[in-house]
Amino acid sequence: MRSLRCLSAEALAAHAPAPLHSLDCVARDLYPLLFKASFLLERTELLQALLTQWPLAEFRLGALLAPGADHPGDLRDRPCRPCLEACVRGLRAHVLRAEGRARLRLVDLTGLRDVQEPQCRCGHTLGRWGRTALLARACSELRAEHATGHPVEVLADLFVTEGNFEGVVCALQLADPAPLRLRCATLRADSLRPAQLLQVVHLAGPEALRRLEVVHNVRLHAGLVEELLARGRFPRLTALTLPANALDAPPQGPAPQGEDPHLAAIARALGQMTQLTELSVAFSTLTGKIQQLLGPLQTPLRTLDLANCALSHEDMAFLASCPHTTHLEVLDLSGHDLVSLYPSTFFRLLGRAAPALRALTLEDCGLGDQHVNRVVLGLSPCVQLQELRLLGNPLSACALRRLFAGLCELPRLRSIEFPVPRDCYPEGTAYPQDQPAASKFDQQKYEEVAGELRAVLLRAGRHDIQVSTPLHGAFDPDTQETSHELGVFLLQAFRSALDKFSRALEQME
């Protein structure tokens, strides 16, 4: 329930622009509540004025929009473009207005959540890429205006691609005395050349970085990853995501005999990151190398993504017995024929992970009708499991009904992503499927089966479990925001590959 103070703040914000002329009469401790009310009502002029006159030493956006004693609402999933632009305009005005006086010292703009269906009334949102570009531009413009005074630290989650790379680099390397000092809490990089990645990581400050996501269209190999980690050290890093093939051997390099020297150096670097608890190295070939990679880590992992890493029986045996297993909360082993190749070690791993496991992804794992009973039995100890993803497995409608009946016993389960039943595809369809083949199924039959599966849950009193079949993958707000740029990047990469191929043919002739 909202407090009387909260209701009063909303009433005041609703009558904007009247409050604009009386902010000097507002008590300092009411500014945060009035800010949240203005953000809720999307009163951009008032938001700008509040930041311009902000009387406190700190401004933490995520904390201001989070549930509080006065206002229990959570506004962090409303990255409203007009509101955020108003905040940045107010920040610029604050710096210019406060020249010679120490007012704001820290502006923390982290904590926003980019969701598929944001709740802002205007319908216009500003994603992480856009917020990065907006902040970088504000920092550079203030420097160009020769603003002086006490510098303000601005902490942000940065998303850098080729499209905003130059602006971000310019903002990060502003020499003192810069009125706004842009600092990076988390960094996501896409569509960058390796040299650009190394530059932006260096400027972002690896000593303070908490999360590093290098994704999709950054072409790395084990030699470059070794160089990246050696340069930064990353003492506070808690999460690391690497793109496909990032841990594969460098091209045209000698085939390693025994221990891979690049992987050994990477493992040593990871071992020095005492706060690292999340690691994603999907789509790197790690056959027989998991112990070498994870063995030196000092802190147990809570999140581990090994999708499509071509794990061997030896790798699975290590995972089933290593110290990380009992701490894992999120695990992705997609792309491995788990039950056929290493059934005993996989189920032993599942048993040891059961007390902590919250999210499990087993896509394209060859799970068939004959495996359902074992899967249900293996999952039965996973009483903390909340999310289960099983896309791409050749299960029939009958097998899915049996599976759902067993999953109803998991008390905390809230989400199941299930595959299109095998019965809905033409007879003889091969698995695993590519994207075009996966979309060619009998839609009417699928809807009938999906209805039956929901009925299984309802009969068991599990209306709290959401089920879906996201054939095109989970929603990624960052990819959605930069889809055009990423498409251009891929086209350029394809043209470059064709040019190299043509030159090779000419040389052969």
Side-chain angles (χ1 to χ4, degrees):
M1 181 179 296
R2 289 174 295 176
S3 69
L4 183 58
R5 291 201 328 160
C6 173
L7 295 173
S8 300
E10 288 186 18
L12 182 60
H15 287 83
L20 297 175
H21 309 295
S22 54
L23 283 182
D24 289 334
C25 301
V26 176
R28 289 161 50 99
D29 61 341
L30 293 180
Y31 266 69
L33 194 54
L34 184 56
F35 176 87
K36 186 172 185 178
S38 303
F39 202 97
L40 173 66
L41 299 175
E42 299 179 16
R43 302 295 184 181
T44 55
E45 289 186 2
L46 185 52
L47 286 172
Q48 181 176 339
L50 285 167
L51 261 294
T52 301
Q53 297 185 217
W54 196 258
L56 308 174
E58 295 185 356
F59 174 85
R60 297 183 180 272
L61 182 61
L64 290 169
L65 301 181
D70 288 303
H71 193 304
D74 192 344
L75 307 185
R76 289 173 294 181
D77 57 356
R78 300 190 183 196
C80 173
R81 176 187 290 269
C83 290
L84 294 172
E85 290 176 341
C87 288
V88 173
R89 288 196 303 271
L91 177 59
R92 293 179 75 252
H94 180 98
V95 171
L96 294 172
R97 183 173 182 266
E99 285 189 291
R101 293 181 293 165
R103 300 185 69 180
L104 258 177
R105 293 177 176 271
L106 173 66
V107 174
D108 184 347
L109 298 179
T110 65
L112 291 177
R113 297 190 293 253
D114 297 306
V115 296
Q116 189 166 5
E117 297 179 359
Q119 302 302 310
C120 57
R121 302 179 180 184
C122 68
H124 299 290
T125 60
L126 193 65
R128 180 159 45 158
W129 187 93
R131 298 194 294 271
T132 299
L134 178 66
L135 272 177
R137 188 163 56 250
C139 291
S140 299
E141 288 174 353
L142 275 173
R143 183 70 177 116
E145 293 174 16
H146 304 289
T148 59
H150 194 281
V152 179
E153 299 277 342
V154 182
L155 189 64
D157 297 320
L158 302 186
F159 178 17
V160 186
T161 67
E162 182 73 39
N164 64 4
F165 172 77
E166 290 187 5
V168 173
V169 166
C170 180
L172 288 172
Q173 64 186 8
L174 288 175
D176 290 336
L180 292 181
R181 293 177 177 173
L182 186 58
R183 296 292 181 261
C184 185
T186 71
L187 174 63
R188 179 182 173 104
D190 199 351
S191 301
L192 294 178
R193 297 188 300 276
Q196 292 176 315
L197 172 66
L198 291 173
Q199 182 181 6
V200 77
V201 167
H202 170 70
L203 292 173
E207 66 282 349
L209 206 58
R210 303 291 292 177
R211 302 179 67 91
L212 175 60
E213 302 171 66
V214 186
V215 297
H216 307 311
N217 299 308
V218 182
R219 308 303 182 200
L220 297 181
H221 53 68
L224 291 171
V225 174
E226 177 185 352
E227 181 181 356
L228 171 66
L229 300 185
R231 283 191 181 190
R233 301 297 180 187
F234 305 96
R236 301 182 63 191
L237 200 70
T238 63
L240 174 64
T241 298
L242 296 174
N245 309 120
L247 297 184
D248 292 352
Q252 303 169 344
Q257 299 295 325
E259 187 177 80
D260 183 339
H262 293 296
L263 195 65
I266 292 169
R268 286 194 297 272
L270 295 178
Q272 294 173 4
M273 301 176 191
T274 57
Q275 299 187 44
L276 186 70
T277 58
E278 302 178 31
L279 181 64
S280 175
V281 291
F283 291 93
S284 282
T285 303
L286 294 173
T287 311
K289 299 177 180 180
I290 290 299
Q291 184 170 1
Q292 182 183 0
L293 177 66
L294 302 184
L297 269 62
Q298 299 182 37
T299 307
L301 293 173
R302 294 202 303 266
T303 296
L304 180 61
D305 186 351
L306 295 173
N308 298 281
C309 288
L311 301 184
S312 66
H313 186 277
E314 176 187 3
D315 297 319
M316 192 61 65
F318 172 77
L319 287 175
S321 58
C322 74
H324 301 288
T325 305
T326 55
H327 295 82
L328 285 176
E329 298 176 10
V330 180
L331 176 63
D332 190 340
L333 292 174
S334 298
H336 298 97
D337 201 347
L338 299 170
V339 180
S340 297
L341 293 181
Y342 16 60
S344 60
T345 49
F346 167 64
F347 285 112
R348 188 165 74 251
L349 183 157
L350 204 55
R352 293 192 67 226
L357 197 60
R358 294 186 294 101
L360 177 64
T361 304
L362 303 175
E363 298 179 358
D364 296 309
C365 286
L367 300 176
D369 292 13
Q370 69 276 24
H371 304 131
V372 167
N373 291 341
R374 285 205 70 181
V375 169
V376 170
L377 185 63
L379 290 173
S380 59
C382 300
V383 293
Q384 302 298 325
L385 193 67
Q386 300 174 21
E387 303 172 16
L388 178 64
R389 301 180 179 89
L390 297 169
L391 298 181
N393 290 294
L395 295 166
S396 68
C398 179
L400 284 169
R401 286 192 291 270
R402 286 191 286 125
L403 176 64
F404 272 51
L407 295 177
C408 288
E409 302 301 318
L410 299 178
R412 295 184 178 272
L413 191 63
R414 296 295 180 269
S415 173
I416 305 173
E417 292 183 4
F418 68 96
V420 174
R422 195 179 66 234
D423 326 46
C424 299
Y425 288 104
E427 188 174 351
T429 297
Y431 287 81
Q433 302 167 294
D434 56 21
Q435 194 67 46
S439 302
K440 297 177 180 178
F441 61 91
D442 187 326
Q443 183 70 39
Q444 182 177 353
K445 192 170 185 180
Y446 165 78
E447 294 295 344
E448 293 174 358
V449 175
E452 294 172 0
L453 296 176
R454 292 187 180 94
V456 170
L457 298 176
L458 291 175
R459 284 195 296 271
R462 295 306 306 271
H463 56 278
D464 55 333
I465 299 178
Q466 302 295 318
V467 297
S468 61
T469 306
L471 287 178
H472 301 292
F475 173 74
D476 185 338
D478 295 318
T479 299
Q480 292 288 110
E481 187 181 18
T482 58
S483 57
H484 175 70
E485 181 184 350
L486 300 188
V488 171
F489 185 91
L490 288 173
L491 183 59
Q492 292 172 343
F494 181 65
R495 287 175 177 169
S496 175
L498 286 179
D499 290 341
K500 291 180 181 178
F501 182 67
S502 299
R503 288 195 295 271
L505 286 179
E506 291 173 359
Q507 293 173 359
M508 291 176 62
E509 293 175 354

